[in-house]
Amino acid sequence: MSLITLAAGGTGGHVFPALALARSLSARGHSLRLVTDQRGLAFAGDFDPAGIDVISAGGLVSGALHRRATGLFRLARGYVQARSLLRRQKPAAVVGFGGFPSAPPMLAAQHLGLPTLLHEQNGIMGRANAFVSRQVRQISSAFPLLEGVPASAEDRVSAVGNPIRADIVAVGETAFTPPKPNGALNLMVVGGSQGAAVFASLLPAALNRLSPAERARLHLVAQIRDESRAETEARLATLGLGRLEIAPFFSDMPQRLAAAHLVLSRSGATTVHELAAAGRPAIFVPLSVHRDDQQGRNARLLTDPGAALLVREGGDAPQWVAAHISTLLAAPEALADMATKARASALLGAADKLADMVEQEIATP
């Protein structure tokens, strides 16, 4: 069978979909290599270390001239490293997953005449993927609507979804059971790697706006970073919640999701697709630092059909979060409707669809 090289930036959002594709291709008998930067190693624990190549990576950053020059130098250095690797390893294809560490191997592959494909995890194409998209053979998108695609590449886009763990998908295969009238509501709060800190302040402020009777019905499980955990837990402990559990990380996420009636979270691409696959209602608070409102666009997969609600960061965010929770406590049947719509919005089987696309390209003369 063939050697396939995967190129992914140094965040979990880029690396995890690459690892999911690796598992699918490996099951079909292909060999895999992963090209990333030093940061990406932290998320590649499931990949054979002997099959990982670390290159220099820089971005097309804005700001001071020296920062831009440094980024371009590192990008050029990564290109030279990637070109050398690809000439020596001779993969049948290179698949990019975005993030600037993916750009050098994608460009090098194109210049060497190797087939290239890319996958975009977000609802708007990232700069690295847009930079290399003009010569890729196929573009797979996680969302039905992908914005920011160069006009010359629009006819090569196919929506396949985001690869999701099988144990998360299995949660959605079991019927959602809403809270009983006046019964406990299991609220789960997760933040993701880029912005969990906001919930340390938002959550106590929002729940404090609920009535004592409403708070007593809440069974709260919250992912809060260690640096904020003690203060947040102390504030929440004074609110008379029905149950309270706080941890910096949950290793049993499928079980937690299965028990949840409602999830309060950021709207990173992986989170949105996991909640859709699990069929869980959500309140999204998108990360506000993205100039292109990346997470707001991601959230539309579930907010448009009514499977999730959206609250923007700001001074009135606690008020809106509290209002939504209060409404759902009063009408638990609405949660069942949201759960059904969430599961119906899921794009499942993405890893196998991506593997099909790769095999199609390496079979093409």
Side-chain angles (χ1 to χ4, degrees), residues 5 7 79 82-87 91-96 102-117 132 135-137:
T5 293
Y79 172 86
R83 188 180 177 99
S84 175
L85 286 170
L86 297 178
R87 289 186 69 176
V94 178
V95 187
S102 72
M106 289 290 284
L107 288 175
Q110 290 168 358
H111 294 164
L112 291 170
L114 299 172
T116 55
L117 306 88
V132 303
Q135 294 188 50
V136 298
R137 294 191 179 181

Side-chain angles (χ1 to χ4, degrees), residues 330-349:
E333 67 278 3
L335 287 167
D337 181 60
M338 292 171 72
T340 299
K341 291 175 178 176
R343 180 66 178 187
S345 301
L347 281 72
L348 303 177

Side-chain angles (χ1 to χ4, degrees), residues 100-243:
F100 279 106
S102 72
M106 289 290 284
L107 288 175
Q110 290 168 358
H111 294 164
L112 291 170
L114 299 172
T116 55
L117 306 88
L118 66 79
H119 181 260
E120 175 55 59
Q121 296 86 49
N122 293 291
I124 183 167
M125 183 169 277
R127 286 185 293 172
N129 274 348
F131 187 55
V132 303
S133 65
R134 290 167 179 81
Q135 294 188 50
V136 298
R137 294 191 179 181
Q138 294 194 57
I139 299 170
S140 58
S141 66
F143 292 90
L145 176 62
L146 177 59
E147 301 181 52
V149 181
S152 61
E154 288 178 345
D155 61 344
R156 282 167 277 148
V157 178
S158 302
V160 302
N162 230 10
I164 299 298
R165 292 163 44 184
D167 50 5
I168 297 291
V169 175
V171 173
E173 295 170 352
T174 301
F176 175 83
T177 303
K180 296 179 181 179
N182 298 315
L185 186 152
N186 298 333
L187 174 63
M188 182 175 184
V189 181
V190 292
S193 61
Q194 298 188 68
V198 68
F199 293 115
S201 57
L202 172 59
L203 189 59
L207 300 188
N208 188 50
R209 292 175 175 270
L210 300 175
S211 71
E214 289 174 323
R215 292 198 293 267
R217 292 176 56 194
L218 285 183
H219 289 187
L220 176 63
V221 172
Q223 184 185 52
I224 302 293
R225 291 177 176 175
D226 269 334
E227 60 264 31
S228 307
R229 180 178 174 182
E231 179 182 354
T232 305
E233 190 166 15
R235 292 177 64 187
L236 291 171
T238 67
L239 298 181
L241 301 174
R243 186 178 299 167

